[in-house]
Amino acid sequence: IISMSALAIAIGMVVDDAIVVLENVSTHLARGEKPKEAAVHGTSEVGISVVASTLTMLCVFVPLTMISGFTGIMFRQLGWIVSIIMIVSTTAALTLVPMLCSRLLRPKEKRSWFYEKFFTPVDRFLDFISRGYSRVIRWATIRKKLVIGGFALVFVASIVLLAPGLKTEYFPRGDSDRISATIELPMGTAQDVTREFYRVVYEEVMAAVPETRILNATFGQADSDNTFANMQSNGTHLLSMNVNIGTSSTRKRSSAEIADVIRGILAKHPEIRRANVREGGGGMGGASSVQVEVYGYDFEETDRVAKELRSKMLADPSFAQVILSRDEYTPEYRMDFDRTKLALNGLNSATAGAAFSAAMSGAVSSFYREEGEEYSIRVRYAPEFRTSIEDMENIVVNNAAGMPVRMKELGTVVETSVPPTIERKDRETEMSPSIFCTIAGDYEDQQDMFRDMLLLIILIVILVYMVMASQFESFVGPLVIMFSVPFALVGVLLGLRLTGNALGIMGIVGIIILLGIVVKNGIVLIDYTNLCLERGMDAVSASVTAARSRLRPILMTTLTTVLGMLPMAVGRGEGSELWRSLGITVCWGLSISTLVTLVLIPTLYCGYVSRIANRKKK
């Protein structure tokens, strides 16, 4: 999934460098240059901006290959694949594309009737937009303070209005085709009672959830030779159900809605001690969960605090279900041996205990082999001879003299309760002398991820700036280009709020991708502005000329990236929830940033160049 999604992300960006080269070669060709000369001159003019924009992209995606932990496992392939694709595409844009331009492109007077009929109207429309855009830039560069102040006001207002109340998440909640439920009845419930309870619940679920395709369940105590079952919680009081509800395209209700229906059914049964209903069996893509950890030495006190928290959380509609992890005291029968009686009968506790265990649980005495398969032969008392305390007392063990001795002659059968498992974290059952609570679970993982991603974003911003500074041999030009980034965040907030999506790990990865994409437009603009300045133009004329000349490639590269991400942003198929926030983040962030970059960056840079020119005159 990650590999294919990396290709989907790169498909829109992979043509950006070729578009910039091709458009500039076409501009030289339109001026009357020969195809080979146009290919050489056009490529050399934009070569630095193409290399710089690719390096900024590598500053974004290469660090993704170095992230550790679960996030690194998720996005390491994304970083490698997109990085390699960008290197190959840039190499092709600077070598293969110019060669093809020199061979295949023709001057305007040699174009076919097909071009004149279908593409000339498009050219005229784009020329109309370019003329209007150049007038806007001329107006903005003359009124720099007004334009810059207006954009600053828009940015502050957007953050104030959009940031508060933004929903956050860890992983997007997916619509699964399976719902699982674990039901715990009171400890000691007989298997026949659990079976009858399951039949009742089965009928209720089938009636309330017509989307059900398959419903299966397991319950009962596993045999001691069933290794897989013994690795899980099992017992006569436990019931596990799996409900297959089909894909999202075959039903109107979401898996979350159906899970709530099942929770409502189980809530009507007071005999249920604990029930856990999970979408997709839990794990990534399931419902977000918050764990409140209660620490303390006193079982009764921690139980009281946990139950009080549960009642308060259940009163809040934000919580679908609240589960206490601590088990009940487990009732059991234990054989207490009298050492004096054991000695009088020539036995020890180990021999008597082994005999008692073999009678109740069985012991492997031999093997049965057939057609290459081997089966254990477990010998134990028949069920009718191990169901009551009297049966346990009549279990026979032979002493050293071969004389049979009954268990009631060696001790007594005692009914006891085993305390629940003592749960620990970081080898501690308590973090302070009194009761201590802390929030964990997905929320804790989310906060850790947000901190790591924020640090990564800061490092990437610094790295992108350093790369641009080395390419432009200037500190101010790259700083001006970096003003594209804040407005990309405005686009991200606007997109998430309008679509109702939450900011999670996928959205943050989209922001990281934006850090490399949004500066590319500024690089193309500033690089061509510097070229115009070197040719003797003043600051305003250079800004207007560069803006008009670079408008078409900027629009084309933005559209290719946005259209490449659009299927992710609007996808409605299975698993689309995982990537939707990433697509929305990139589409909205890049679109808003591009609109702002086209006006703000030339205005800022023009102001800087004008100030430098005035200093030189003085």
Side-chain angles (χ1 to χ4, degrees):
I1 293 176
I2 302 296
S3 304
M4 296 301 293
S5 299
L7 294 177
I9 291 170
I11 200 71
M13 300 184 292
V14 75
V15 296
D16 287 359
D17 295 336
I19 286 174
V20 174
V21 172
L22 178 61
E23 194 279 335
N24 206 44
V25 171
S26 300
T27 301
H28 280 265
L29 200 61
R31 295 172 183 170
E33 295 184 15
K34 295 180 180 180
K36 289 185 179 180
E37 294 175 354
V40 173
H41 295 157
T43 305
S44 61
E45 279 186 356
V46 298
I48 292 178
S49 62
V50 167
V51 172
S53 61
T54 300
L55 289 176
T56 59
M57 292 299 298
L58 294 179
C59 290
V60 170
F61 286 99
V62 170
L64 288 179
T65 66
M66 305 174 186
I67 300 177
S68 60
F70 183 70
T71 307
I73 295 172
M74 281 288 295
F75 299 111
R76 192 169 293 125
Q77 284 191 20
L78 174 66
W80 279 118
I81 291 175
V82 177
S83 298
I84 294 171
I85 287 175
M86 295 305 299
I87 293 172
V88 173
S89 69
T90 302
T91 304
L94 296 176
T95 55
L96 179 63
V97 171
M99 184 276 292
L100 293 176
C101 289
S102 67
R103 296 288 181 179
L104 301 178
L105 294 187
R106 294 291 177 265
K108 190 173 182 180
E109 62 271 9
K110 294 184 180 180
R111 287 170 178 168
S112 64
W113 67 270
F114 180 82
Y115 182 93
E116 296 293 336
K117 185 174 181 62
F118 291 98
F119 291 107
T120 299
V122 178
D123 278 340
R124 290 174 181 169
F125 176 70
L126 291 175
D127 289 338
F128 171 75
I129 294 178
S130 297
R131 289 192 298 270
Y133 172 57
S134 62
R135 286 194 290 269
V136 171
I137 295 301
R138 185 174 294 278
W139 180 89
T141 51
I142 295 174
R143 299 165 179 82
K144 304 178 188 67
K145 293 183 179 180
L146 176 63
V147 173
I148 295 173
F151 276 114
L153 183 62
V154 169
F155 173 74
V156 173
S158 301
I159 297 299
V160 171
L161 294 175
L162 298 175
L166 179 68
K167 295 185 293 184
T168 60
E169 63 183 3
Y170 185 35
F171 269 98
R173 185 175 183 177
D175 193 316
S176 177
D177 63 346
R178 186 167 65 93
I179 296 174
S180 62
T182 303
I183 302 169
E184 184 176 330
L185 299 175
M187 196 71 70
T189 302
Q191 185 163 311
D192 291 339
V193 176
T194 304
R195 180 184 294 106
E196 291 301 321
F197 173 80
Y198 165 65
R199 289 174 179 170
V200 173
V201 172
Y202 174 85
E203 296 296 336
E204 293 178 350
V205 171
M206 294 300 291
V209 185
E211 296 92 342
T212 302
R213 295 189 173 186
I214 301 173
L215 194 159
N216 58 52
T218 57
F219 54 87
Q221 178 67 46
D223 282 338
S224 57
D225 57 351
N226 190 335
T227 306
F228 180 75
N230 279 300
M231 292 173 62
Q232 310 171 51
S233 297
N234 60 85
T236 57
H237 66 297
L238 295 178
L239 170 64
S240 298
M241 294 196 309
N242 283 290
V243 185
N244 188 318
I245 56 176
T247 61
S248 58
S249 59
T250 61
R251 48 186 162 82
K252 295 181 179 180
R253 294 189 294 184
S254 66
S255 60
E257 293 173 321
I258 297 175
D260 285 338
V261 171
I262 297 176
R263 291 187 185 105
I265 293 173
L266 299 180
K268 296 176 182 177
H269 293 273
E271 63 268 35
I272 296 178
R273 178 187 174 271
R274 182 167 57 191
N276 186 8
V277 180
R278 303 176 299 277
E279 302 162 43
M284 190 182 71
S288 299
S289 63
V290 176
Q291 293 181 6
V292 180
E293 297 175 344
V294 181
Y295 296 86
Y297 282 127
D298 192 326
F299 272 26
E300 293 183 358
E301 186 65 16
T302 53
D303 280 343
R304 182 191 63 78
V305 173
K307 290 175 180 177
E308 184 177 344
L309 286 172
R310 180 178 63 177
S311 62
K312 291 181 178 180
M313 294 169 76
L314 287 173
D316 190 331
S318 302
F319 298 95
Q321 62 182 10
V322 182
I323 303 168
L324 297 181
S325 64
R326 179 174 288 171
D327 294 327
E328 289 182 314
Y329 279 76
T330 306
E332 72 173 14
Y333 290 102
R334 186 179 70 238
M335 188 68 201
D336 277 357
F337 292 107
D338 187 317
R339 295 184 178 275
T340 302
K341 293 180 179 180
L342 286 171
L344 291 173
N345 287 278
L347 293 167
N348 55 44
S349 57
T351 305
F356 186 86
S357 176
M360 297 298 296
S361 302
V364 177
S365 300
S366 184
F367 300 95
Y368 171 70
R369 297 181 178 87
E370 182 182 23
E371 298 180 354
E373 297 290 338
E374 186 176 272
Y375 306 93
S376 299
I377 299 176
R378 182 175 294 273
V379 180
R380 61 179 172 177
Y381 279 24
E384 61 269 21
F385 297 107
R386 49 184 172 88
T387 56
S388 65
I389 295 178
E390 185 180 358
D391 292 336
M392 298 178 191
E393 291 175 339
N394 288 323
I395 293 174
V396 175
V397 58
N398 292 325
N399 60 17
M403 299 295 294
V405 181
R406 297 184 184 276
M407 290 294 167
K408 62 183 177 182
E409 299 173 13
L410 302 174
T412 56
V413 177
V414 180
E415 182 178 0
T416 62
S417 295
V418 179
T421 303
I422 299 177
E423 298 173 292
R424 297 176 181 268
K425 186 173 182 180
D426 299 330
R427 299 183 180 181
E428 295 289 340
T429 57
E430 181 186 59
M431 289 189 172
S432 72
S434 59
I435 298 296
F436 181 87
C437 299
T438 184
I439 297 178
D442 285 353
Y443 177 81
E444 183 183 27
D445 296 336
Q446 174 185 321
Q447 298 306 306
D448 292 340
M449 181 270 296
F450 275 17
R451 284 193 293 269
D452 294 342
M453 287 297 193
L454 180 60
L455 177 61
L456 181 64
I457 288 173
I458 294 172
L459 293 176
I460 287 176
V461 168
I462 296 173
L463 192 57
V464 167
Y465 175 77
M466 291 173 61
V467 167
M468 290 193 296
S470 65
Q471 288 292 310
F472 285 104
E473 298 181 352
S474 168
F475 291 108
V476 179
L479 185 61
V480 171
I481 295 173
M482 293 302 293
F483 277 91
S484 302
V485 175
F487 288 94
L489 298 179
V490 172
V492 169
L493 294 175
L494 182 62
L496 293 175
R497 292 301 293 268
L498 290 179
T499 58
N501 283 269
L503 178 64
I505 187 170
M506 305 308 298
I508 293 180
V509 170
I511 293 175
I512 291 175
I513 294 174
L514 279 175
L515 297 177
I517 298 177
V518 297
V519 298
K520 294 176 71 173
N521 296 332
I523 290 173
V524 172
L525 272 174
I526 298 302
D527 181 60
Y528 202 83
T529 303
N530 290 337
L531 183 62
C532 293
L533 290 171
E534 292 174 0
R535 291 173 178 174
M537 294 185 183
D538 60 86
V540 175
S541 299
S543 298
V544 173
T545 302
R548 181 172 181 175
S549 175
R550 298 295 91 189
L551 176 63
R552 187 176 296 194
I554 287 175
L555 290 179
M556 284 192 289
T557 54
T558 299
L559 282 174
T560 55
T561 304
V562 170
L563 293 176
M565 287 289 196
L566 197 59
M568 283 189 176
V570 301
R572 291 293 183 269
E574 289 291 328
S576 61
E577 301 88 357
L578 180 63
W579 298 100
R580 188 176 299 148
S581 60
L582 188 149
I584 290 171
T585 298
V586 174
C587 288
W588 281 87
L590 181 57
S591 299
I592 299 298
S593 176
T594 299
L595 293 176
V596 174
T597 298
L598 288 173
V599 179
L600 180 61
I601 301 303
T603 305
L604 283 170
Y605 197 64
C606 179
Y608 162 71
V609 173
S610 299
R611 194 156 51 250
I612 295 298
N614 291 334
R615 288 179 183 174
K616 289 182 178 179
K617 288 180 181 179
K618 294 179 181 179

